[in-house]
Amino acid sequence: MDRSTHHTGTAQDPATHTGHHAHADHAHGASWSTAAKATLHCLTGCAIGEILGMVIGTALLWGNVETMVLAISLAFLFGYSFTLFAVRRAGLDFKSAVKVALAADTVSIAVMELVDNGIIALTPGAMDAHLSDGLFWSALLGGFAVAFVITTPVNKWMIGRGKGHAVVHAYH
């Protein structure tokens, strides 16, 4: 068998393999810096949505369950929207942008929300604290800090395998 033409012009040929640098993070494992930036990106959207949900639920005198459902829903909405707007600005059509946002952010946001809301729920008195109480804000912000610390290694692992925020890198 003549092997001289076996791999010519394929992705194995370095001259024709485009995008190698875009995939370097997941080919060799993601850096902690990349993972932290991805986590911060998600945390920003989550925090905006969650705080907004808590403020709305409290202002409307809703119960804890209804307020948390609204806050978590808005955290996902805002978290996804940050990625959605970024990839739309990069030229992706809406349907494809939604798919990228869902693939990039779902696990990250879910872990963040689970940790953050778990801390709030387990902090004595935090669920009954009002917006003007320091306990409310310390539990919420403390939950965000712990969620960041726990979610960053999750994002590092996912990006290192070409999942999560690695999906967005092709559009930067």
Side-chain angles (χ1 to χ4, degrees):
M1 174 178 206
D2 180 13
R3 296 194 186 270
S4 63
T5 60
H6 183 64
H7 287 292
T8 305
T10 68
Q12 306 301 325
D13 182 357
T16 60
H17 185 180
T18 60
H20 177 72
H21 297 290
H23 300 289
D25 271 346
H26 71 262
H28 303 292
S31 70
W32 283 105
S33 174
T34 299
K37 287 176 188 173
T39 305
L40 187 59
H41 171 88
C42 267
L43 181 62
T44 303
C46 288
I48 290 169
E50 191 161 331
I51 291 169
L52 185 59
M54 294 286 188
V55 168
I56 292 170
T58 302
L60 295 175
L61 304 175
W62 287 1
N64 290 337
V65 172
E66 296 87 356
T67 299
M68 285 192 89
V69 167
L70 176 63
I72 292 168
S73 298
L74 289 177
F76 272 91
L77 179 71
F78 277 84
Y80 287 140
S81 69
F82 277 33
T83 298
L84 182 70
F85 290 131
V87 295
R88 286 281 292 143
R89 194 170 47 247
L92 219 57
D93 65 280
F94 185 76
K95 184 178 178 181
S96 297
V98 168
K99 288 179 182 179
V100 167
L102 291 173
D105 295 334
T106 299
V107 172
S108 182
I109 295 171
V111 170
M112 227 173 279
E113 287 303 301
L114 180 68
V115 171
D116 176 46
N117 285 286
I119 288 172
I120 293 169
L122 294 173
T123 301
M127 293 296 292
D128 297 320
H130 297 283
L131 295 175
S132 59
D133 293 336
L135 178 60
F136 169 82
W137 292 104
S138 63
L140 183 64
L141 298 177
F144 289 150
V146 173
F148 178 83
V149 169
I150 291 174
T151 307
T152 299
V154 172
N155 281 332
K156 183 180 185 313
W157 181 82
M158 289 179 58
I159 294 167
R161 280 146 190 80
K163 309 277 187 218
H165 280 267
V167 180
V168 177
H169 289 198
Y171 304 101
H172 287 293

